[in-house]
Amino acid sequence: MKSLLQSIALILIVPAIAFSQVQLDYYLPEGVNYNPDIPTPKEVVGHEVGEWHITHDKLVQYMYALAESSDRVTIQEYARTYENRPLLVLTITSPDNHSSIDQIKSNQSLLRNPERSGNLDLESMPVIVNMGFSVHGNEASGSNASLVSAYHFAAAQGDEIEETLSNTVILLDPSFNPDGLQRFSTWVNMHKSATTVSDPASREFGEVWPGGRTNHYWFDLNRDWMPVVHPESRGRIKMYQEWKPHVLTDHHEMGTNSTFFFQPGIPSRTHPLTPQRNQDLTAAIGEYHADELDEIQSLYYTKESFDDFYYGKGSTYPDIFGTIGILFEQASSRGHAQESEHGVVEFPFGVRNQFRTSLSTVKAANGLRMELHNNMREFYREVQQEASRSSVKAFVIGDTYDSGKNYHFADLMSRHNVELYELAQNLEVGGESFEQGKAWVIPVEQTEYKFIEAMFEQRTEFTDSLFYDVSTWTLPSAFNLPHVELNQRQFDSNLMGDRVESPEKPSGQIVGGRSNYAYAFEWDEYYAPRALYRLQELGVRTQAAFQKFQSVVSTGAKEFNYGTIVVPLGIQDVDEATIFRTMQEVAEEDGVDVYNLRTGLAASGVDLGSPNLNALEKPSIAILVGSGVSNLEAGEVWHQLDQRYKIPITLLEKDRVGRTDLNRYNRLVLVNGRYGDLSESAKADLKSWVRAGGTLIVQKSAVNWAISEGLLNAERVEEESSGNRRIAYEDLSAARGAQGIGGSIFEANLDMTNPLMFGYRNDSMHIFRNSTTFLQITENQAATPLYLTSNPLVSGYISDDNRELIKNTASIMVGSYGSGRVIGFVDNPNFRAFWFGTNKLFANALFFGDQISRSAAN
């Protein structure tokens, strides 16, 4: 085979085909006959592949038609999207393999067992190839190529395909992101002309906000392989963990002026925990891709542009489990045919490249079958050896006061096949205290040690300063969970209680039964905001304790912390029986312990009639969306409120602000984005709304906008000039990129008495930052309740210059504007829906922001 280095190319060959005349033969390899009893895509969906963009319903229709007509194909629905679309996997292999599929899966599992893998007859075992298409819905050449791929492997005839399928099990996932694919296909099909229009200015190539890249809640599913927040990912990871394939492909698109990319990517940007053997095999597989693309005269490149660092990405996640993950990136037509600097990029051309690299993947998997078997076996042998040598023997992690976060952490880890156990006895070690049944024990000597290591590591030194995605994701920081490492001396197997394979959502209790005076619950629990809104929606009057107090409950004297929610019965319009039933729901469904308070007289601290128990208003929330707004961050807020807190939120188009009665809302949210295009009347209305008592919550670049509009008083940290440093032309991009913060973790101090910090019991926490906005702590320091420390870096990359600038800067600041409040989040508390540890900061802004004293606002 030709060397990859000889085949790297820099420009796009213009396809020699008019897409309006495309035929199936354009895609298929020469000299292969196909079974006429197997339907072609056109016979089922009504058009040739590439003539129109496939809609998801037709894609599903064709895959089921294949499964019905071919004894090589079975089909399984493994999940449903938020919009109730099915996610499918086709298992394609020989009929003989289908008859013994359970044994094949069992042997594949044994390959990961060092005690038994040596006894396996590797020669007789098929190689497992998982093909996945279009996790970004508007990178549609992948899902369209899945039609041709599925047809080819189901219908091709001859000795070669028979031998291939006897040695291969193909798991074909035609659409990782059905909702995004449907949104995008609708857009480009509705703008297709009978006469080809390739002008990049045409509306066909400019999707309206939010576009088809993301899922229903505007999340990038390619970043969700590790967090497994969404149903698409949860189903896909379940299937992956059941099979642990040898190879997994992830088919994407990139800019129209590009060519075609396949991994390996930039060597210096591979995560250090990924074995070199993984990258060597990726390169060996790449030679097959080169041969296949050479044959059809397509140009490509490798070892540039893309990395293999973040284990939450589709092509990198498999690397920490012994699989070879491979990223493909095709120059996108973003429609049916679009001009580029290299000529017209036609949609069928992109589909063909994706299909042909599907063929080369299967060829490579067969040609390197023994190497791939040995790679999987050796990977887990090495894992066992590394785990046994590790000075850390177990992690203990958990929050005594927050069973909701504990549950979500356990849920995440268990979905990646990690063994974890309930803590069987109270433990104090390393200055941390853990309570029996309220923490998890994770022994390191287990199959998925490498994944555990990747999730717990704090890394601050890197061989490269550029990252395609985040540079760190340390889970204890993301969940704000106390944790310790136990060494050989500290670890005792008696600490391990029952193994937790399928964590159950926690439930609370009503301590003391039905009350005749008042109920109270603390704000620590993750789902306390949902519990509060449940009561407010019912019309129950609620109060929050802005001071601690102690009350005698049925179990004895109990101290209630800042932010405790109190429901006095004597002031209610809702009847007491209904309130009690709701409290039962709060305990059962929200996992919150509710306490019966039999008297308003406190044992110590403030009484229940104190002015320090503030009456709360029910949040009525709108978030500005539309052109210029980060759909990712807007989607994170939408998802947090809709899916977790069950709080309705209005998605308000920016250009409707001046034509909407803002008085129906008492909370407005502006996430990262551009707001300079708001009309003068819209800005005036918004300012009047805040001045009249509204609470404006701004995030990241929206903080800068609020400062420029006089809504928030804050100053930037000024960068000192470092002189004129000469930088070579070829290094300019890297030098500029090295000053960015792609995603790192920092330590911050907090004032636990501030309403924005209610529910936290430690005066320090870890926050996530992926921007370079550095704001000074306000002159009124009470108005900066969360700020970074003097040596804040915990994990991740930051340049030396920025390391100095970020010290002692604000993370959250509060401003007063008339009777209203402006709360500025320099950082994103809802990042990718897996930063559970900072979600409550945002909830506090919604529920308590209006209660912040003017004296604590700048």
Side-chain angles (χ1 to χ4, degrees):
M1 293 185 183
K2 296 177 181 178
S3 166
L4 289 179
L5 294 176
Q6 294 175 327
S7 303
I8 293 175
L10 302 176
I11 61 172
L12 185 72
I13 286 183
V14 179
I17 182 169
F19 78 90
S20 60
Q21 301 172 354
V22 67
Q23 299 295 320
L24 189 59
D25 288 347
Y26 169 67
Y27 305 103
L28 300 174
E30 294 181 1
V32 178
N33 295 319
Y34 291 87
N35 184 347
D37 295 331
I38 305 299
T40 66
K42 183 178 181 179
E43 290 170 344
V44 175
V45 305
H47 61 80
E48 289 288 3
V49 175
E51 182 182 357
W52 296 85
H53 279 248
I54 193 70
T55 58
H56 186 260
D57 55 324
K58 289 184 176 181
L59 185 64
V60 169
Q61 182 185 9
Y62 181 67
M63 296 304 165
Y64 273 102
L66 270 188
E68 291 172 4
S69 61
S70 173
D71 60 0
R72 297 175 180 173
V73 182
T74 60
I75 194 167
Q76 173 191 351
E77 178 184 314
Y78 66 80
R80 287 258 165 175
T81 70
Y82 290 112
E83 296 177 16
N84 203 35
R85 293 190 175 88
L87 291 116
L88 308 175
V89 61
L90 280 66
T91 303
I92 307 175
T93 189
S94 68
D96 286 345
N97 283 341
H98 272 298
S99 67
S100 56
I101 203 74
D102 290 340
Q103 185 60 53
I104 292 172
K105 188 182 292 188
S106 175
N107 287 342
Q108 184 72 1
S109 177
L110 292 176
L111 197 57
R112 308 189 294 275
N113 184 335
E115 276 72 42
R116 301 184 63 182
S117 61
N119 299 323
L120 291 170
D121 178 10
L122 300 185
E123 286 283 0
S124 67
M125 291 173 57
V127 66
I128 316 299
V129 178
N130 191 168
M131 295 181 184
F133 298 92
S134 298
V135 71
H136 297 142
N138 62 1
E139 298 178 4
S141 60
S143 283
N144 283 265
S146 77
L147 292 163
V148 189
S149 298
Y151 171 74
H152 171 82
F153 290 115
Q157 294 178 314
D159 293 341
E160 182 178 348
I161 189 67
E162 295 290 346
E163 181 180 2
T164 295
L165 293 181
S166 69
N167 291 324
T168 314
V169 174
I170 300 170
L171 306 172
L172 189 150
D173 190 326
S175 173
F176 281 156
N177 181 5
D179 294 348
L181 180 72
Q182 189 72 15
R183 194 182 315 135
F184 178 68
S185 61
T186 299
W187 176 265
V188 293
N189 287 339
M190 71 185 280
H191 291 99
K192 180 185 176 183
S193 301
T195 304
T196 303
V197 176
S198 59
D199 179 0
S202 176
R203 195 167 190 256
E204 178 182 355
F205 310 114
E207 298 171 81
V208 294
W209 193 96
R213 178 183 178 88
T214 54
N215 78 341
H216 174 78
Y217 284 103
W218 310 331
F219 277 71
D220 184 339
L221 290 177
N222 194 42
R223 272 66 180 169
D224 195 44
W225 289 66
M226 177 272 286
V228 284
V229 169
H230 304 286
E232 301 93 333
S233 307
R234 294 165 81 85
R236 182 172 65 253
I237 294 304
K238 182 176 186 294
M239 182 189 69
Y240 172 85
Q241 290 293 339
E242 287 176 359
W243 274 103
K244 287 276 180 62
H246 297 89
V247 178
L248 183 145
T249 62
D250 189 17
H251 293 257
H252 288 250
E253 289 181 357
M254 53 182 169
T256 304
N257 290 322
S258 303
T259 59
F260 189 89
F261 168 86
F262 54 84
Q263 284 180 317
I266 300 172
S268 61
R269 299 185 201 168
T270 298
H271 197 287
L273 293 181
T274 299
Q276 180 59 43
R277 187 176 58 252
N278 174 288
Q279 294 297 287
D280 294 342
L281 275 169
T282 303
I285 293 171
E287 301 226 3
Y288 287 82
H289 303 323
D291 280 353
E292 194 73 30
L293 294 172
D294 286 346
E295 184 177 315
I296 58 173
Q297 297 182 316
S298 285
L299 296 179
Y300 49 86
Y301 68 100
T302 185
K303 295 183 180 178
E304 295 180 63
S305 303
F306 298 93
D307 67 21
D308 229 351
F309 191 85
Y310 170 49
Y311 287 123
K313 239 181 2 168
S315 57
T316 308
Y317 172 83
D319 295 344
I320 202 68
F321 291 102
T323 299
I324 309 300
I326 300 177
L327 170 69
F328 296 117
E329 293 275 357
Q330 164 62 41
S332 180
S333 63
R334 284 290 183 264
H336 292 88
Q338 185 179 171
E339 296 166 18
S340 78
E341 63 186 39
H342 307 305
V344 176
V345 181
E346 295 188 343
F347 186 49
F349 176 73
V351 172
R352 183 172 65 161
N353 282 342
Q354 301 276 27
F355 164 63
R356 296 304 283 259
T357 48
S358 296
L359 294 185
S360 59
T361 299
V362 173
K363 289 178 183 177
N366 272 263
L368 301 169
R369 184 164 60 94
M370 293 304 296
E371 288 89 337
L372 291 167
H373 282 320
N374 281 308
N375 173 65
M376 182 74 72
R377 179 164 63 183
E378 288 306 308
F379 178 86
Y380 281 98
R381 283 178 175 172
E382 292 165 0
V383 165
Q384 184 184 59
Q385 293 167 2
E386 290 179 31
S388 67
R389 293 194 301 262
S390 173
S391 60
V392 178
K393 293 305 174 187
F395 295 95
V396 179
I397 184 168
D399 190 327
T400 299
Y401 301 99
D402 192 343
S403 58
K405 276 195 312 186
N406 289 347
Y407 159 75
H408 280 291
F409 174 83
D411 177 66
L412 187 158
M413 295 297 279
S414 65
R415 289 183 180 275
H416 300 292
N417 208 32
V418 171
E419 293 180 29
L420 66 162
Y421 300 81
E422 290 185 355
L423 179 64
Q425 54 189 299
N426 292 348
L427 176 68
E428 289 190 17
V429 63
E432 297 285 0
S433 298
F434 302 93
E435 189 173 322
Q436 176 184 356
K438 294 187 177 180
W440 313 113
V441 181
I442 305 175
V444 303
E445 293 195 46
Q446 60 169 289
T447 305
E448 304 310 343
Y449 164 70
K450 294 289 284 187
F451 179 79
I452 296 167
E453 186 181 16
M455 296 303 103
F456 277 80
E457 74 166 4
Q458 293 181 349
R459 185 179 296 274
T460 57
E461 294 184 4
F462 303 87
T463 57
D464 199 313
S465 59
L466 299 182
F467 298 87
Y468 190 71
D469 202 78
V470 297
S471 64
T472 187
W473 50 85
T474 312
L475 288 187
S477 295
F479 281 81
N480 192 35
L481 287 175
H483 79 290
V484 291
E485 301 174 353
L486 301 184
N487 58 31
Q488 184 74 53
R489 180 181 57 82
Q490 296 166 319
F491 177 57
D492 185 337
S493 60
N494 290 330
L495 292 172
M496 293 166 34
D498 293 336
R499 181 177 175 183
V500 180
E501 297 190 58
S502 299
E504 296 182 1
K505 291 183 177 180
S507 60
Q509 58 181 325
I510 299 183
V511 180
R514 183 168 174 173
S515 180
N516 292 317
Y517 189 81
Y519 297 100
F521 60 88
E522 293 187 283
W523 196 244
D524 302 84
E525 278 290 347
Y526 185 79
Y527 285 107
R530 187 168 74 190
L532 173 56
Y533 190 83
R534 185 192 297 267
L535 291 162
Q536 292 178 331
E537 180 72 356
L538 192 65
V540 176
R541 293 187 174 91
T542 57
Q543 300 174 338
F546 278 49
Q547 293 287 335
K548 292 182 178 181
F549 67 93
Q550 188 179 79
S551 188
V552 177
V553 299
S554 63
T555 54
K558 173 174 174 56
E559 182 176 78
F560 289 90
N561 204 10
Y562 299 104
T564 293
I565 304 302
V566 178
V567 178
L569 296 176
I571 63 172
Q572 303 296 337
D573 296 328
V574 180
D575 68 89
E576 294 183 14
T578 299
I579 292 175
F580 177 62
R581 286 195 300 271
T582 305
M583 288 300 182
Q584 290 176 310
E585 294 174 1
V586 162
E588 178 64 27
E589 298 178 20
D590 302 327
V592 172
D593 287 336
V594 179
Y595 292 86
N596 172 355
L597 303 186
R598 292 172 290 187
T599 176
L601 188 64
S604 66
V606 298
D607 298 323
L608 295 197
S610 166
N612 282 296
L613 266 75
N614 292 21
L616 302 174
E617 68 176 353
K618 182 180 75 170
S620 179
I621 310 163
I623 182 171
L624 298 198
V625 299
S627 179
V629 175
S630 168
N631 62 316
L632 300 175
E633 293 189 18
E636 289 160 358
V637 173
W638 180 21
H639 174 271
Q640 182 69 16
L641 298 188
D642 193 36
Q643 284 290 317
R644 292 181 178 161
Y645 292 162
K646 306 301 181 186
I647 299 175
I649 179 171
T650 297
L651 308 177
L652 180 61
E653 283 282 339
K654 269 174 34 179
D655 61 8
R656 296 193 62 180
V657 172
R659 296 177 284 118
T660 299
D661 180 10
L662 297 181
N663 291 320
R664 68 178 294 150
Y665 317 109
N666 51 38
R667 309 287 188 271
L668 280 179
V669 180
L670 278 66
V671 296
N672 197 44
R674 299 192 312 271
Y675 299 94
D677 55 352
L678 285 171
S679 68
E680 291 303 315
S681 62
K683 286 189 284 189
D685 288 351
L686 195 152
K687 290 178 179 180
S688 295
W689 174 86
V690 179
R691 192 180 295 111
T695 301
L696 179 66
I697 301 169
V698 289
Q699 184 171 302
K700 292 177 65 176
S701 66
V703 173
N704 294 325
W705 176 83
I707 293 171
S708 68
E709 290 294 329
L711 288 161
L712 191 60
N713 183 11
E715 295 182 12
R716 279 185 168 274
V717 175
E718 295 299 331
E719 181 177 3
E720 294 183 8
S721 174
S722 57
N724 296 320
R725 292 178 294 184
R726 293 188 62 84
I727 301 174
Y729 179 83
E730 66 177 353
D731 297 328
L732 281 172
S733 178
R736 187 179 298 113
Q739 296 307 310
I741 301 177
S744 298
I745 300 171
F746 301 92
E747 184 180 30
N749 289 332
L750 57 99
D751 173 7
M752 291 182 290
T753 69
N754 190 291
L756 292 178
M757 303 298 126
F758 285 173
Y760 293 93
R761 291 183 180 254
N762 194 313
D763 61 6
S764 71
M765 67 185 303
H766 293 169
I767 59 96
F768 177 86
R769 177 169 293 191
N770 60 353
S771 72
T772 53
T773 297
F774 307 129
L775 298 179
Q776 296 180 17
I777 294 174
T778 52
E779 185 174 341
N780 175 6
Q781 294 190 11
T784 309
L786 186 69
Y787 59 93
L788 274 61
T789 66
S790 59
N791 186 26
L793 181 64
V794 174
S795 187
Y797 171 79
I798 187 171
S799 70
D800 291 339
D801 290 344
N802 286 336
R803 189 190 290 254
E804 291 300 315
L805 291 173
I806 203 170
K807 292 178 179 180
N808 300 307
T809 58
S811 180
I812 297 178
M813 52 182 53
V814 182
S816 173
Y817 191 82
S819 298
R821 298 292 177 267
V822 180
I823 300 170
F825 285 90
V826 179
D827 306 302
N828 179 0
N830 300 305
F831 181 70
R832 291 185 184 167
F834 83 93
W835 266 81
F836 286 86
T838 51
N839 289 158
K840 190 161 289 175
L841 298 174
F842 189 79
N844 290 348
L846 293 174
F847 284 101
F848 309 133
D850 64 315
Q851 298 289 327
I852 297 174
S853 167
R854 182 185 293 273
S855 62
N858 208 34

Short mmCIF file of all heavy atoms in Angstrom, two decimals, residues 18-21 51-52 188-198 204 336-337:
data_model
loop_
_atom_site.label_atom_id
_atom_site.label_comp_id
_atom_site.label_asym_id
_atom_site.label_seq_id
_atom_site.Cartn_x
_atom_site.Cartn_y
_atom_site.Cartn_z
N ALA A 18 -23.02 15.51 -12.61
CA ALA A 18 -24.09 16.45 -12.27
C ALA A 18 -25.02 15.76 -11.29
O ALA A 18 -25.53 14.68 -11.56
CB ALA A 18 -24.86 16.87 -13.52
N PHE A 19 -25.26 16.40 -10.13
CA PHE A 19 -25.99 15.69 -9.09
C PHE A 19 -27.43 15.39 -9.52
O PHE A 19 -28.04 14.45 -9.05
CB PHE A 19 -25.96 16.47 -7.77
CG PHE A 19 -26.91 17.63 -7.71
CD1 PHE A 19 -28.19 17.47 -7.24
CD2 PHE A 19 -26.51 18.90 -8.10
CE1 PHE A 19 -29.05 18.54 -7.16
CE2 PHE A 19 -27.36 19.98 -8.02
CZ PHE A 19 -28.65 19.80 -7.55
N SER A 20 -27.98 16.18 -10.42
CA SER A 20 -29.35 15.91 -10.86
C SER A 20 -29.45 14.64 -11.68
O SER A 20 -30.53 14.11 -11.88
CB SER A 20 -29.86 17.11 -11.67
OG SER A 20 -29.03 17.31 -12.81
N GLN A 21 -28.30 14.14 -12.17
CA GLN A 21 -28.31 12.92 -12.98
C GLN A 21 -27.63 11.76 -12.26
O GLN A 21 -27.31 10.75 -12.87
CB GLN A 21 -27.58 13.19 -14.31
CG GLN A 21 -28.23 14.31 -15.11
CD GLN A 21 -27.38 14.69 -16.32
OE1 GLN A 21 -26.27 14.20 -16.51
NE2 GLN A 21 -27.92 15.58 -17.15
N GLU A 51 -29.73 12.88 -4.70
CA GLU A 51 -30.60 13.74 -5.50
C GLU A 51 -31.33 14.73 -4.60
O GLU A 51 -31.49 15.90 -4.92
CB GLU A 51 -31.58 12.88 -6.28
CG GLU A 51 -32.51 13.67 -7.19
CD GLU A 51 -33.51 12.78 -7.91
OE1 GLU A 51 -33.45 11.54 -7.75
OE2 GLU A 51 -34.36 13.34 -8.64
N TRP A 52 -31.81 14.22 -3.47
CA TRP A 52 -32.36 15.03 -2.39
C TRP A 52 -31.63 14.62 -1.11
O TRP A 52 -31.07 13.53 -1.04
CB TRP A 52 -33.87 14.78 -2.21
CG TRP A 52 -34.71 15.19 -3.37
CD1 TRP A 52 -34.99 14.46 -4.49
CD2 TRP A 52 -35.38 16.44 -3.52
NE1 TRP A 52 -35.81 15.17 -5.33
CE2 TRP A 52 -36.07 16.39 -4.76
CE3 TRP A 52 -35.49 17.60 -2.74
CZ2 TRP A 52 -36.84 17.45 -5.23
CZ3 TRP A 52 -36.27 18.65 -3.20
CH2 TRP A 52 -36.93 18.58 -4.43
N VAL A 188 -32.71 22.30 3.53
CA VAL A 188 -32.07 22.31 2.21
C VAL A 188 -33.01 21.81 1.13
O VAL A 188 -32.96 22.29 -0.02
CB VAL A 188 -30.76 21.49 2.21
CG1 VAL A 188 -29.71 22.17 3.06
CG2 VAL A 188 -30.97 20.06 2.65
N ASN A 189 -33.89 20.87 1.45
CA ASN A 189 -34.83 20.39 0.43
C ASN A 189 -35.87 21.45 0.08
O ASN A 189 -36.28 21.57 -1.08
CB ASN A 189 -35.52 19.12 0.92
CG ASN A 189 -34.60 17.91 0.89
OD1 ASN A 189 -33.60 17.88 0.19
ND2 ASN A 189 -34.93 16.88 1.67
N MET A 190 -36.28 22.23 1.06
CA MET A 190 -37.30 23.25 0.79
C MET A 190 -36.73 24.41 -0.04
O MET A 190 -37.49 25.20 -0.61
CB MET A 190 -37.92 23.77 2.09
CG MET A 190 -37.01 24.63 2.94
SD MET A 190 -37.74 25.09 4.54
CE MET A 190 -38.80 26.44 4.04
N HIS A 191 -35.38 24.50 -0.10
CA HIS A 191 -34.76 25.57 -0.87
C HIS A 191 -34.08 25.06 -2.13
O HIS A 191 -33.39 25.83 -2.82
CB HIS A 191 -33.75 26.31 0.00
CG HIS A 191 -34.38 27.11 1.10
ND1 HIS A 191 -34.46 26.66 2.40
CD2 HIS A 191 -34.99 28.32 1.09
CE1 HIS A 191 -35.08 27.57 3.14
NE2 HIS A 191 -35.41 28.57 2.37
N LYS A 192 -34.26 23.81 -2.46
CA LYS A 192 -33.65 23.26 -3.67
C LYS A 192 -34.40 23.76 -4.91
O LYS A 192 -35.64 23.74 -4.95
CB LYS A 192 -33.67 21.73 -3.62
CG LYS A 192 -33.06 21.09 -4.86
CD LYS A 192 -33.21 19.58 -4.84
CE LYS A 192 -32.68 19.00 -6.15
NZ LYS A 192 -32.85 17.54 -6.23
N SER A 193 -33.65 24.17 -5.93
CA SER A 193 -34.23 24.60 -7.19
C SER A 193 -34.15 23.48 -8.22
O SER A 193 -33.28 22.60 -8.13
CB SER A 193 -33.49 25.82 -7.74
OG SER A 193 -33.52 26.90 -6.83
N ALA A 194 -35.04 23.49 -9.19
CA ALA A 194 -34.98 22.51 -10.27
C ALA A 194 -33.72 22.71 -11.09
O ALA A 194 -33.12 21.75 -11.60
CB ALA A 194 -36.22 22.63 -11.16
N THR A 195 -33.32 23.97 -11.23
CA THR A 195 -32.05 24.30 -11.88
C THR A 195 -31.00 24.50 -10.80
O THR A 195 -31.23 25.22 -9.83
CB THR A 195 -32.20 25.60 -12.69
OG1 THR A 195 -33.26 25.45 -13.62
CG2 THR A 195 -30.91 25.93 -13.41
N THR A 196 -29.87 23.86 -10.95
CA THR A 196 -28.85 23.89 -9.91
C THR A 196 -28.42 25.32 -9.61
O THR A 196 -28.05 26.07 -10.51
CB THR A 196 -27.62 23.06 -10.32
OG1 THR A 196 -28.04 21.73 -10.61
CG2 THR A 196 -26.58 23.06 -9.22
N VAL A 197 -28.45 25.69 -8.33
CA VAL A 197 -27.95 26.98 -7.86
C VAL A 197 -26.81 26.69 -6.89
O VAL A 197 -27.02 26.07 -5.85
CB VAL A 197 -29.05 27.78 -7.16
CG1 VAL A 197 -28.48 29.08 -6.59
CG2 VAL A 197 -30.20 28.07 -8.12
N SER A 198 -25.61 27.14 -7.25
CA SER A 198 -24.45 26.85 -6.42
C SER A 198 -23.87 28.11 -5.78
O SER A 198 -22.82 28.05 -5.14
CB SER A 198 -23.36 26.16 -7.24
OG SER A 198 -22.97 26.98 -8.34
N GLU A 204 -30.26 28.60 0.56
CA GLU A 204 -30.11 27.16 0.82
C GLU A 204 -28.92 26.87 1.72
O GLU A 204 -28.96 25.94 2.53
CB GLU A 204 -29.94 26.41 -0.52
CG GLU A 204 -29.73 24.90 -0.36
CD GLU A 204 -29.53 24.21 -1.68
OE1 GLU A 204 -29.64 24.87 -2.74
OE2 GLU A 204 -29.24 23.00 -1.67
N HIS A 336 -27.04 21.15 -1.89
CA HIS A 336 -26.94 20.20 -3.00
C HIS A 336 -25.72 20.42 -3.88
O HIS A 336 -25.15 19.48 -4.41
CB HIS A 336 -28.23 20.24 -3.83
CG HIS A 336 -29.41 19.71 -3.09
ND1 HIS A 336 -30.21 20.51 -2.29
CD2 HIS A 336 -29.92 18.46 -3.00
CE1 HIS A 336 -31.17 19.76 -1.76
NE2 HIS A 336 -31.01 18.52 -2.17
N ALA A 337 -25.31 21.67 -4.05
CA ALA A 337 -24.09 21.97 -4.83
C ALA A 337 -23.69 23.40 -4.52
O ALA A 337 -24.51 24.32 -4.62
CB ALA A 337 -24.34 21.81 -6.33
#
